[in-house]
Amino acid sequence: MELVILNGDLEGARFALSKGNITVGRKSGNDICMSLDPRISRFHAQLSLREDGRWEIEDLGSANGTFVGQRRIHAPTVIHPNDRFRMGRTWMTLYDDTPSVSQARAVQSVQLTEVGAGEFEVDNVVYSVSAERAARTDAELAGLRDRLAVYREVGRALTFSLDVNELLNAIMDAMMECLPAERGFLLLVDRETGEMVPRVARQRRDTGTAQEKATISRHILEKAVNERVTILTTDAMSDERFQEVASVRDLRIRSAVCAPLFHQENVLGVIYLDTTSATHVFTETDVDFVAGVASQAAVAIENARLYTDLRGAYDELQAAQQQLVRSEKLSTIGALSATVAHDMINITTPLQPLIDIMLRDADVDAESEEAVRRQTKRLSALAERLMSFSQSETTELVSADINTMVQNTLALLNTEFNHKSVKLSTHFGSGLPPVMADENQMERVFLNLCINALEAMDEMDGQELELRTFQDADEVVVSIADNGPGLPENLTEDIFEPFYTTKEHGTGLGLFSCRRIVQNDHNGVIEYESVPGQGTTFFVRLPVTPTQQQ
C-alpha cells in the first residue's frame, strides 16, 4: 500500500506504508514529512492499519482539519484504496497496486541467469537417480503418508480459493513442509511481457545459504517448460547435464526439482526447489508429488485469473451501467426542469409589472411591499435554478466581491429568516480580494446552501445560521454553518452525487449543482464538516483573482 500525493509541489510522490501507524505532518519527525504545505500542521494526522486489514485516518488536532472526500472528520475514519482525502491544501489517496509481500520479496531476491557458454542442451531424460535410492525405507513410507496429507490440504486450498496470491503461498508452503528443500521458488509468466516473474520465494534460515540475490538457472527453467517435463537431479554437482551450469556450480546445488505449470497449451510458470545438503536429496516420489501438485495448481491458478478478469469486467460493466442510469435520470430531470422553468418564467415575467401596478394603487405599507417584491425575486431565482439543470449555460467569470454576492443572497431570504425565527449571524471579512466568478451562479450556490440549512433546522427551537467570509492564503472562503441535527457519522455516500438526498421529497440535485458550479466552472472547492447533534458547516473556497494574489 502506498500514499500517493495528487497535487501541489509533491504531486506524484509515493510513500510506502511500511508499518501499522504512519504519522503525517510538516515536522521532520513524522513518518511522512509534508513540509511544503504551510496549511499542514506539524503533526497533522495518523494513518493506522486496522485488524481487519483496512486503513483508517485520524486527525491529530490539526489547525485546518483533515477531510475525507469533502467532509471534515472528527473521529478515526476508514479509507479505502483510491479514496481521496486532504490535509492542508494537499490531496492524497491510497494506492494498492503493489505486489503481495511474498511477491515483492521474491522479485527482490531472485534473478534468472542467462545460458552461459559452458551450458549445454539437456536431453529428454526426466530422471537421473542414484541406484542406492531405489529401495524405499520405512522412513520414506512415512514421508509418503505426510505428503498425502499435505496434498489433500493443498487440494482443498486450490479448490476453494480464488485469490492467486493465496494459492501460490499455499502451494509453496506445502512444498517446503514435506520436502527436503532448502530453497523454493514459484514463478509465473507475466501475461504482458511473457517473462518469468518470481511470485513466491522461500528459503530455510538455518541452512547458511542465505545470499543477497538468489539465483536460479534460466537454463533449467526453460528446459522444463520447452520439454513439458518435470526435471529431477539427485546429484547435480556430478550430474553430467549440469556440471557446466554456472549457477549450479556457484550455489553448490546438490539436488533440484523443476516442474512446469501448464494449462492446456499455455505455460503459466514453474515450481523450482533445490538443496545443497548431501543428506537431503529429492526422490522419484518427491518429483511425482511436485508434478501432481503442479498439474492441479495450474488449473486453479488459471481459474483464479479468469475469476479476477471476470470480476474486473463485471465491476467495469456495473460502473458503466450506473453512469448510464445517472445520465438517463439527469436527462429526464433536465427535460422536466426545462418545461417547469419555462412555465415559471412565463408567469413571473408579466407578474412583476402587475405587482408594481397593484402596489402603486393599493394602500400597502412599506414592509409588506418589500416582502412581496422579495418573494417575487425569489420565485424568479428558483426558476433560474431549475433552468440550470436543463441546459449547459455559459459561465462568464468577472472580478467580483464575495461579500456582495453573499449579501445579495441573504436579501432574498430575510422573510424566511423572520418567519422561522432564525438567529442569523454574519461576519464579513474586510478588505477581501476579488475572485473570478459568475455572480448569478455563485449566488445560486449560496442560496441553495442556505435553504438546505433552513430545511435541516426545520421545526427546531433556537435555529441559528452563521455566515462568514475570510481569506485563507490565496483563497477566499465562505462558510455557512447551521445548528441542525448534522449528518450521520457513519455516512458512506457522497452527498454531492446526483440524486442523493436525506429529504423525504428531495431530488438530490441541489448539492450536485453546487459542486458543478464551484469546482467545474470556478476552479474552487466545496467541502463540509458535520457533527451529529451539533450541526453542519459548508465551506466554499474560490481562488483569488490572479493579479490580487500576494
Side-chain angles (χ1 to χ4, degrees):
M1 188 74 70
E2 293 179 316
L3 177 71
V4 181
I5 308 302
L6 301 177
N7 70 316
D9 295 325
L10 292 177
E11 181 176 352
R14 296 169 176 261
F15 300 92
L17 304 185
S18 56
K19 58 181 183 178
N21 293 295
I22 305 289
T23 59
V24 183
R26 280 194 299 113
K27 193 173 178 63
S28 60
N30 288 278
D31 299 301
I32 298 177
C33 179
M34 304 290 295
S35 59
L36 300 179
D37 187 342
R39 287 177 56 188
I40 291 181
S41 299
R42 295 198 308 165
F43 291 94
H44 194 104
Q46 176 173 282
L47 293 164
S48 301
L49 182 62
R50 296 162 35 124
E51 291 184 358
D52 60 6
R54 296 185 296 174
W55 286 87
E56 67 180 14
I57 187 168
E58 179 181 7
D59 187 84
L60 299 179
S62 65
N64 294 310
T66 300
F67 291 79
V68 174
Q70 288 162 299
R71 179 179 187 175
R72 184 170 183 171
I73 62 171
H74 298 277
T77 302
V78 172
I79 49 177
H80 304 90
N82 300 320
D83 283 353
R84 287 165 54 90
F85 53 95
R86 180 173 66 80
M87 303 177 201
R89 304 188 63 176
T90 303
W91 285 95
M92 315 171 190
T93 189
L94 296 184
Y95 186 64
D96 189 17
D97 194 31
T98 56
S100 65
V101 174
S102 60
Q103 178 184 352
R105 290 174 177 171
V107 171
Q108 294 174 0
S109 64
V110 181
Q111 69 180 10
L112 302 180
T113 60
E114 297 294 343
V115 178
E119 297 180 352
F120 52 89
E121 292 295 328
V122 182
D123 56 25
N124 293 327
V125 176
V126 176
Y127 300 119
S128 175
V129 185
S130 302
E132 61 268 25
R133 300 287 300 173
R136 292 176 176 169
T137 63
D138 291 341
E140 287 176 326
L141 292 176
L144 287 176
R145 288 192 294 269
D146 293 339
R147 294 187 193 99
L148 182 59
V150 172
Y151 192 81
R152 285 197 298 266
E153 291 299 318
V154 172
R156 186 177 295 109
L158 299 183
T159 301
F160 292 105
S161 177
L162 289 173
D163 181 86
V164 174
N165 290 322
E166 183 179 340
L167 287 173
L168 301 184
N169 280 280
I171 295 168
M172 188 50 62
D173 288 341
M175 299 292 99
M176 298 300 289
E177 180 178 346
C178 65
L179 295 178
E182 294 176 0
R183 304 190 312 160
F185 306 98
L186 203 157
L187 302 90
L188 293 185
V189 174
D190 187 293
R191 289 188 286 183
E192 294 183 1
T193 66
E195 291 292 321
M196 287 280 187
V197 178
R199 294 291 299 270
V200 179
R202 297 284 191 273
Q203 183 163 307
R204 300 190 192 279
R205 297 182 179 276
D206 57 351
T207 60
T209 60
Q211 299 186 4
E212 287 188 8
K213 196 76 171 179
T215 302
I216 309 173
S217 173
R218 186 183 299 271
H219 183 82
I220 297 177
L221 268 59
E222 291 182 349
K223 182 60 179 178
V225 169
N226 293 338
E227 297 297 327
R228 303 174 70 91
V229 296
T230 299
I231 295 178
L232 166 68
T233 178
T234 57
D235 190 355
M237 298 296 293
S238 61
D239 192 324
E240 64 179 11
R241 299 174 302 165
F242 306 113
Q243 288 177 345
E244 301 302 322
V245 177
S247 58
V248 173
R249 183 179 62 253
D250 294 342
L251 290 172
R252 305 184 63 81
I253 293 174
R254 171 74 176 189
S255 183
V257 176
C258 184
L261 302 173
F262 276 95
H263 181 260
Q264 296 178 353
E265 297 301 319
N266 300 319
V267 57
L268 303 183
V270 296
I271 298 174
Y272 174 86
L273 306 163
D274 66 23
T275 178
T276 60
S277 173
T279 59
H280 296 85
V281 178
F282 297 112
T283 67
E284 296 178 35
T285 303
D286 295 331
V287 79
D288 288 339
F289 171 69
V290 175
V293 172
S295 176
Q296 190 174 3
V299 176
I301 291 170
E302 182 65 17
N303 288 342
R305 281 180 166 180
L306 290 175
Y307 171 80
T308 301
D309 293 344
L310 182 60
R311 184 68 190 182
Y314 173 78
D315 290 341
E316 291 179 3
L317 178 60
Q318 190 175 47
Q321 288 176 330
Q322 291 175 349
Q323 184 61 40
L324 183 61
V325 170
R326 287 178 177 177
S327 299
E328 184 64 26
K329 286 183 178 180
L330 284 175
S331 176
T332 303
I333 293 293
L336 179 61
S337 298
T339 302
V340 175
H342 183 268
D343 291 342
M344 290 179 65
I345 291 173
N346 286 341
I347 295 172
T348 57
T349 300
L351 185 61
Q352 186 62 51
L354 292 175
I355 290 176
D356 292 339
I357 295 173
M358 294 175 61
L359 293 176
R360 183 184 62 196
D361 297 338
D363 185 14
V364 179
D365 61 86
E367 183 177 352
S368 297
E369 179 179 349
E370 180 185 358
V372 170
R373 294 188 184 279
R374 184 181 305 113
Q375 293 304 321
T376 304
K377 289 182 180 180
R378 184 183 176 194
L379 183 60
S380 298
L382 292 174
E384 290 182 3
R385 289 175 61 200
L386 280 175
M387 189 63 74
S388 71
F389 295 133
S390 64
Q391 59 186 12
S392 178
E393 57 185 332
T394 302
T395 302
E396 296 182 3
L397 300 182
V398 297
S399 183
D401 178 62
I402 199 75
N403 288 340
T404 300
M405 289 186 283
V406 175
Q407 289 166 350
N408 289 341
T409 302
L410 294 178
L412 296 173
L413 294 169
N414 281 334
T415 301
E416 193 79 13
F417 294 149
N418 294 332
H419 176 69
K420 293 188 174 184
S421 301
V422 176
K423 179 182 177 181
L424 177 65
S425 302
T426 57
H427 306 277
F428 295 108
S430 60
L432 295 180
V435 296
M436 297 301 295
D438 184 310
E439 296 185 16
N440 290 331
Q441 285 191 6
M442 289 309 306
E443 287 175 12
R444 287 206 299 274
V445 170
F446 301 141
L447 180 65
N448 198 316
L449 295 177
C450 287
I451 291 175
N452 283 350
L454 293 176
E455 292 176 346
M457 298 184 294
D458 195 25
E459 299 183 1
M460 283 180 50
D461 294 329
Q463 300 179 25
E464 297 181 7
L465 187 65
E466 180 185 47
L467 281 84
R468 297 176 58 235
T469 62
F470 57 94
Q471 184 174 3
D472 185 7
D474 58 354
E475 294 176 331
V476 173
V477 184
V478 178
S479 69
I480 301 173
D482 65 61
N483 66 335
L487 294 168
E489 189 172 4
N490 60 349
L491 180 69
T492 58
E493 295 87 352
D494 185 349
I495 65 174
F496 295 97
E497 283 296 303
F499 312 114
Y500 173 78
T501 180
T502 58
K503 305 172 188 177
E504 184 177 355
H505 302 292
T507 64
L509 291 172
L511 289 178
F512 166 70
S513 177
C514 289
R515 181 173 64 176
R516 175 179 59 80
I517 292 173
V518 173
Q519 299 190 177
N520 295 355
D521 298 338
H522 289 76
N523 196 30
V525 175
I526 182 170
E527 54 199 10
Y528 70 100
E529 61 175 310
S530 186
V531 179
Q534 298 184 26
T536 301
T537 302
F538 279 86
F539 301 91
V540 176
R541 297 177 174 273
L542 298 177
V544 171
T545 302
T547 57
Q548 298 293 328
Q549 293 181 6
Q550 302 296 321

